[in-house]
Amino acid sequence: MQTALVVIDVQNDFCPGGALAVVDGDSIVSLINDKMNDYEVIALTQDWHPGGHSSFASSQEGKSPLETFEMPYGTQVLWPDHCIQGTKGAAFHPDLNTDPANLIVRKGYNPEIDSYSAFFENDQKTPTGLHGYLNTRGVTAIDLVGLATDFCVNFSAVDAAKLGYKTRVLENLTKAIDLGGSLDSARSAMIAAGVTLES
Ligand code: VGL
Ligand code: ZN
């Protein structure tokens, strides 16, 4: 069994001082670096939005960050502008060791559709290509770490389980945004999908 480590969105904008900072988001970076030693297949994801992305509150008239908005594909939380392609905020945290990564997947680059999951955009059907990559590398199990537990890690884990991977979230190597109970709902959704939550 080949197990891949998928490291979700360890980027400056999700760390303290960033545009969509997750409390203590940077505290998991060195633990993730150590964890990479245990895997032969490692993929990193990078949230990678064009300026004016439809998931930004600034793109929807009269809306503020963290309000919701009805998109053609369903309800979307609106975020502060973050992870804009090529900016410092979109770069990986400077202490993340990116050298062992085999693959870097960028997501959220379609101006009209957000992409929390590393596998599918939020329309739940446009693939990122990660499944094809892991499949052709013989991967059957996935361990997920990174930011944020309740959004991108959660959606990636649920999709991984749906795609048939034996899926674990290593919770000590994640941090959550925790918006109005979103961490509890995410944990329930992951468990319901058959994801193992490990501390
Ligand atoms: C994320 C909100 C917006 C995440 C990305 O990485 O969890 N959350 N874009
Ligand atoms: Zn984003």
Side-chain angles (χ1 to χ4, degrees), residues 37-50:
N37 293 319
D38 301 346
Y39 298 82
E40 281 171 32
V41 180
I42 300 171
L44 313 180
T45 69
Q46 211 170 9
D47 209 40
W48 197 251
H49 301 304

Side-chain angles (χ1 to χ4, degrees), residues 9 14 20 47 49 79 82 107 114 116 147-148 151-152 177:
D9 298 0
F14 298 121
L20 181 39
D47 209 40
H49 301 304
W79 302 106
H82 67 280
K107 61 183 182 63
D114 204 3
Y116 294 149
L147 303 170
F151 288 92
C152 291
I177 296 175

Side-chain angles (χ1 to χ4, degrees), residues 61-153:
E61 207 173 320
K63 288 288 187 179
S64 303
L66 311 185
E67 288 182 347
T68 56
F69 189 73
E70 292 310 316
M71 299 285 198
Y73 54 81
T75 305
Q76 167 76 45
V77 177
L78 295 174
W79 302 106
D81 292 20
H82 67 280
C83 295
I84 295 174
Q85 297 168 0
T87 62
K88 181 166 176 254
F92 288 114
H93 186 285
D95 296 337
L96 183 73
N97 183 8
T98 60
D99 294 347
N102 305 143
L103 179 76
I104 296 174
V105 188
R106 287 172 169 169
K107 61 183 182 63
Y109 44 72
N110 181 340
E112 305 302 329
I113 312 179
D114 204 3
S115 188
Y116 294 149
S117 166
F119 293 96
F120 295 101
E121 296 185 350
N122 286 7
D123 62 0
Q124 296 187 323
K125 52 176 194 260
T126 309
T128 62
L130 179 60
H131 179 42
Y133 178 81
L134 295 176
N135 209 24
T136 51
R137 294 277 322 262
V139 169
T140 54
I142 298 179
D143 289 345
L144 288 135
V145 300
L147 303 170
T149 325
D150 40 348
F151 288 92
C152 291
V153 174

